[in-house]
Amino acid sequence: MSARSFSLPKTKRRVLLRTAFALLVIFFAAGVGLAGWQIWSRISGRMIEPVVAGGESGEQGPRWRSSLNGVAVSGPESEQEPVVAVMIDNHAAARPQAGIARASLVYEVPVEGGFTRYIAVYPLTAPTSSLVIGPVRSARPYAVEIGTELSAMYAHVGGSNEALDVIGKSGTWDFNEYSRGQYFHRADDRDAPHNVMTDTVQLRAGYDRYFGARTIARSGWRWNDAPVATGTIANVLTIDWAERGNEVTWEYVAASRTYQRTRGAIAHVDADGAPVIANTIIVQRVTTKVLDTEGRLRVDLVGTGTGDLFRDGRRIPITWSKKSSTDRTQWLDATTGEPVAFRSGSVWVEVVPKNVGLSVR
């Protein structure tokens, strides 16, 4: 049989050629559109890259993650949710704190006298129920910097002169109880000054009134939920804060892949009894200096330093860097120089002066 007998009529050949050409045009347009979307997303800063697997399982994470705590969100328009950073008391008379176990991100920072306070960060995306938070205490300048780098509304009750000066000069999204008293209340079962409370519904109302029109520009960290096997074993870490009874211990629970927190020998629980846990812990070593007779501190968060990341029962040495008071702190693997990956969910950053002891086993 000759090759000619397999040829198609001219009409059918024209149809096939037109169909093939149309498919090529469609594929080309789709490719250009995807590339254009990616370029626009990178320029606008709204794109979160698909998470790169960070463990031996090869697990891939969701495409879109919250820039606050890495949890999955529905799309690029959702990853920059409005947030509040609340300065929370850690004096013995302030315990148990309310809402601390529900925070997405918590910084523990040193203050005068060997005590610490918390900067607890919460999303304010249309809260459907009210979460009570507190006791709320006074601002410190380095806490203001943390709120600023997160594009967060910073809630506090007054502050040191240095902190109020920084607030006045830095454009902080300031939410001071002294001028926004209607969004705070005094608890009857606590003694002053450890009794100023607030809640997420009131905070969202205040945010909408004073800051709702502002642009959120919060850069993201790297996230990966696959278990890691690098670093060294870290089942228990203890931070030996100077004030007796304020020593902090985090103990790893393999079943949940979380660390549970104790202060002294007492489990750290919320006012409602919920245990305080973390999926990821950062110990950030910082330089501090006593400024006055009250013992107020300068805490250097801008610059570079060292620390450790704890997750999955492992300790990974890191370095940190922060270019300015408004830039978000970056965390790099001290061995590879690559960004470290946090496990999404509750994150705690322990801001620890270099003279405070840390033991790990």
Side-chain angles (χ1 to χ4, degrees):
M1 187 176 292
S2 67
R4 183 182 180 85
S5 64
F6 287 93
S7 63
L8 294 172
K10 291 183 178 180
T11 301
K12 289 186 177 181
R13 287 204 303 272
R14 289 193 191 99
V15 171
L16 288 174
L17 287 171
R18 288 172 180 169
T19 302
F21 180 75
L23 289 172
L24 285 172
V25 169
I26 291 170
F27 289 144
F28 178 77
V32 170
L34 178 59
W37 161 251
Q38 290 179 334
I39 291 171
W40 177 87
S41 299
R42 291 178 187 276
I43 292 172
S44 67
R46 294 176 60 86
M47 183 175 185
I48 296 179
E49 291 289 347
V51 177
V52 179
E56 295 178 350
S57 69
E59 174 187 328
Q60 293 291 328
R63 180 175 180 82
W64 306 104
R65 289 186 183 265
S66 161
S67 60
L68 178 62
N69 64 351
V71 299
V73 294
S74 59
E77 71 286 348
S78 303
E79 48 96 2
Q80 295 283 30
E81 70 261 75
V83 302
V84 61
V86 185
M87 193 74 171
I88 294 184
D89 198 351
N90 192 26
H91 190 277
R95 301 171 185 171
Q97 293 91 358
I100 195 78
R102 307 284 190 257
S104 296
L105 171 63
V106 181
Y107 292 78
E108 183 171 24
V109 297
V111 291
E112 52 276 9
F115 290 97
T116 67
R117 287 186 187 168
Y118 305 119
I119 301 109
V121 189
Y122 304 84
L124 290 177
T125 306
T128 55
S129 60
S130 181
L131 173 67
V132 176
I133 301 169
V136 187
R137 285 304 299 272
S138 57
R140 294 295 180 268
Y142 39 95
V144 176
E145 287 185 11
I146 290 169
T148 300
E149 81 165 61
L150 295 170
S151 286
M153 181 175 77
Y154 177 56
H156 61 101
V157 180
S160 67
N161 291 335
E162 294 81 7
L164 298 178
D165 186 55
V166 170
I167 289 171
K169 294 178 179 178
S170 65
T172 300
W173 299 10
D174 184 47
F175 204 69
N176 188 346
E177 189 262 352
Y178 286 1
S179 57
R180 311 278 191 245
Q182 67 269 38
Y183 300 100
F184 298 80
H185 65 272
R186 297 269 174 174
D188 295 333
D189 59 346
R190 298 172 184 260
D191 294 329
H194 312 288
N195 63 346
V196 179
M197 313 297 283
T198 185
D199 63 72
T200 49
V201 170
Q202 288 297 306
L203 290 169
R204 180 56 196 256
Y207 182 95
D208 288 343
R209 179 175 179 180
Y210 297 104
F211 308 110
R214 297 197 183 186
T215 301
I216 299 171
R218 184 187 314 115
S219 62
W221 290 330
R222 188 183 178 210
W223 307 92
N224 195 308
D225 294 337
V228 298
T230 57
T232 57
I233 296 295
N235 288 320
V236 180
L237 59 136
T238 299
I239 303 170
D240 190 17
W241 294 105
E243 179 64 24
R244 178 175 293 182
N246 204 34
E247 306 90 350
V248 168
T249 298
W250 291 95
E251 185 169 357
Y252 184 63
V253 180
S256 59
R257 292 175 59 200
T258 61
Y259 284 89
Q260 292 190 352
R261 194 172 196 266
T262 62
R263 287 179 304 208
I266 302 172
H268 190 174
V269 298
D270 206 304
D272 64 1
V276 174
I277 63 172
N279 293 354
T280 303
I281 302 166
I282 288 283
V283 173
Q284 181 183 8
R285 288 289 188 184
V286 296
T287 301
T288 61
K289 181 180 179 181
V290 177
L291 295 177
D292 55 28
T293 56
E294 297 294 325
R296 294 189 180 94
L297 300 174
R298 187 190 75 198
V299 177
D300 295 335
L301 297 180
V302 176
T304 60
T306 61
D308 293 284
L309 178 145
F310 296 89
R311 56 166 295 187
D312 297 312
R314 313 292 294 190
R315 175 187 192 177
I316 302 171
I318 62 170
T319 62
W320 61 266
S321 64
K322 181 176 169 66
K323 294 179 180 179
S324 74
S325 60
T326 58
D327 285 315
R328 198 164 188 192
T329 306
Q330 300 302 310
W331 318 97
L332 302 179
D333 188 304
T335 302
T336 66
E338 295 296 319
V340 292
F342 293 8
R343 183 175 171 226
S344 62
S346 176
V347 176
W348 275 69
V349 180
E350 300 278 4
V351 180
V352 179
K354 292 178 180 179
N355 63 340
V356 171
L358 169 68
S359 61
V360 181
R361 66 180 192 273

